[in-house]
Amino acid sequence: MSNYPSGRTSRIEIAKQALNFSIAHFTIFSKTDREDLHGHNYQVECHVTATLGDDGLMFDYAILKAILRDMCDELDEQTVLPENSPHLSLTEENGYIVALFNGERIPFLPRDVMTLPIANATVEEFSYYFLQKMIHHDDLQDKGITAYTVKISSSPGQYGVAEWQLGQDL
């Protein structure tokens, strides 16, 4: 019999230097205004709350670190374009992915582009994108996870944060 009360939870916070990705992007402000294409080195942090077992472990969080690293590697050195922007449309023309914005045609080589199901290429959207992928990742099911917080930084002290708690719809 355990000396610990049942239902204990704990939180692990992962903020490793290796959890980063570099991408090119532009933020869209309105149907006529956007940033120039530029890049950032993004840093990822993830906090997970889960049931704490009698053995003093939530679960093997090396799984969590590997998932985050894979997600970062997938985005790294890409130009990220939003699939769900109300002001930008994407098409394929003559072997290029073409972003159409306010009368501009902006062509990209497909090997250099990753389109994401987001509305804008912002830290807020990136944090939510990571959060959704983690919540639905097969390797994190049945781990007793009750809450996630994902923080994406484009520069020190500037984060987009997305949070989820058990029972909350996405």
Side-chain angles (χ1 to χ4, degrees), residues 29-63:
F29 300 110
S30 70
K31 68 181 182 177
T32 60
D33 188 25
R34 72 169 178 88
E35 293 178 318
D36 290 335
L37 183 66
H38 65 284
H40 289 282
N41 298 313
Y42 292 87
Q43 199 67 41
V44 178
E45 261 185 57
C46 183
H47 306 176
V48 175
T49 302
T51 303
L52 185 61
D54 290 344
D55 60 358
L57 295 172
M58 293 182 350
F59 60 90
D60 179 0
Y61 56 86
I63 298 166

Side-chain angles (χ1 to χ4, degrees), residues 19-25 38-44 76-77 123 152-156 158:
L19 297 178
N20 64 72
F21 57 96
S22 298
I23 63 165
H25 84 114
H38 65 284
H40 289 282
N41 298 313
Y42 292 87
Q43 199 67 41
V44 178
D76 198 37
E77 298 183 358
V123 289
I152 308 282
S153 171
S154 60
S155 63
Q158 179 173 305

Side-chain angles (χ1 to χ4, degrees), residues 21 44-49 64 67-68 71 75 116-118 123-138 140-141 145-152 160-166 168-170:
F21 57 96
V44 178
E45 261 185 57
C46 183
H47 306 176
V48 175
T49 302
L64 180 64
I67 291 167
L68 289 166
M71 291 169 61
L75 294 174
L116 297 180
I118 58 178
V123 289
E124 302 94 326
E125 282 281 57
F126 296 144
S127 64
Y128 192 75
Y129 172 76
F130 269 68
L131 176 71
Q132 283 193 329
K133 287 192 73 148
M134 297 190 54
I135 288 169
H136 299 294
H137 199 286
D138 288 341
L140 294 173
Q141 302 305 307
I145 297 172
T146 60
Y148 287 98
T149 299
V150 177
K151 297 170 72 174
I152 308 282
V161 180
E163 298 179 302
W164 172 87
Q165 291 184 9
L166 187 63
Q168 179 182 351
D169 290 333
L170 278 181

